[in-house]
Amino acid sequence: MQRWLIAAAMTCVAATGCSKDDGKATSSTRRPQQAGQGTNPLTTAGHLAGIEVAGLSGDQRAVQAHVDAMHRNLMRDMRLADPARRIDLENARAAVRPLTGVQSSVWIDRQNLLVMVGGSQYRSMAMIDRVCLALEPLGDTLAVVVNLQDVTATTSEGADTLSRNCQLGAGERAMLQPKRQVDVLDPEVRRVFRAQQGAPTDK
């Protein structure tokens, strides 16, 4: 069984290139974890082989570790956040605070983090990536939608909120995660934050 799994994994790499690494140079810029893209077959084969070896040696801890890892991968493929790895709200705010461009942050609800930035250059998907990377050590970022607002915006378009789930594409949400229209539902939050930064409030 073990030899078959290893052989299958090697065949997968050689014949189909199923590994995420396609041989091209990778960017030096690290991206946040991504969900819903399918687990690398080589990773699954490695866990199955690990279970086989650990089972033969009687190492139940190792068996459970491989099973847990496969379960986490399955949940990520299903876009289902891990409730056992919820991010502490205050720790998240503390992790985001030192990032360049961040003025302040607040949790709108358990899943939506509103981050106020000072300048249009910080209202970008790249900034959302930076926020998500800061949150990764704290738990499962698939449960988090980052909402950016520029407190220095002088136009309606520039004041619009830029939102994205940490591990998904623009407009996508995790399973059971509702979409929230921050600009429509929370105008008071924007006014409070802009007042805190000394910017004129919307009338």
Side-chain angles (χ1 to χ4, degrees), residues 13-26:
V13 175
T16 68
C18 64
S19 171
K20 297 291 184 183
D21 183 1
D22 60 2
K24 296 179 182 179
T26 57

Side-chain angles (χ1 to χ4, degrees), residues 35-186:
Q37 298 185 346
T39 301
N40 187 332
L42 182 58
T43 299
T44 301
H47 286 307
L48 291 173
I51 291 172
E52 178 82 5
V53 172
L56 291 173
S57 64
D59 188 346
Q60 294 305 310
R61 280 192 174 185
V63 170
Q64 190 61 50
H66 284 293
V67 171
D68 290 345
M70 292 178 65
H71 181 251
R72 287 194 298 270
N73 289 339
L74 176 61
M75 292 181 67
R76 185 175 293 113
D77 291 344
M78 295 171 59
R79 302 184 180 187
L80 183 61
D82 186 351
R85 300 178 58 233
R86 289 193 174 188
I87 293 176
D88 180 83
L89 305 188
E90 287 308 310
N91 287 343
R93 294 183 65 221
V96 169
R97 192 176 300 122
L99 297 179
T100 302
V102 171
Q103 300 293 313
S104 51
S105 65
V106 65
W107 287 91
I108 302 171
D109 54 38
R110 191 63 185 77
Q111 303 180 69
N112 284 271
L113 176 63
L114 177 62
V115 180
M116 309 301 291
V117 295
S120 60
Q121 70 272 31
Y122 299 115
R123 182 183 167 276
S124 66
M125 290 297 178
M127 185 65 190
I128 292 181
D129 283 350
R130 291 172 57 201
V131 171
C132 294
L133 287 171
L135 298 180
E136 277 187 4
L138 305 179
D140 188 2
T141 57
L142 183 57
V144 178
V145 175
V146 175
N147 303 274
L148 293 185
Q149 288 184 354
D150 177 14
V151 298
T152 68
T154 57
T155 65
S156 176
E157 182 178 1
D160 287 343
T161 303
L162 187 66
S163 302
R164 199 192 78 219
N165 180 290
C166 276
Q167 296 193 31
L168 300 172
E172 298 178 333
R173 293 294 182 268
M175 184 182 294
L176 307 179
Q177 186 176 57
K179 289 186 178 180
R180 181 161 187 173
Q181 299 297 325
V182 177
D183 289 325
V184 175
L185 298 180
D186 297 281

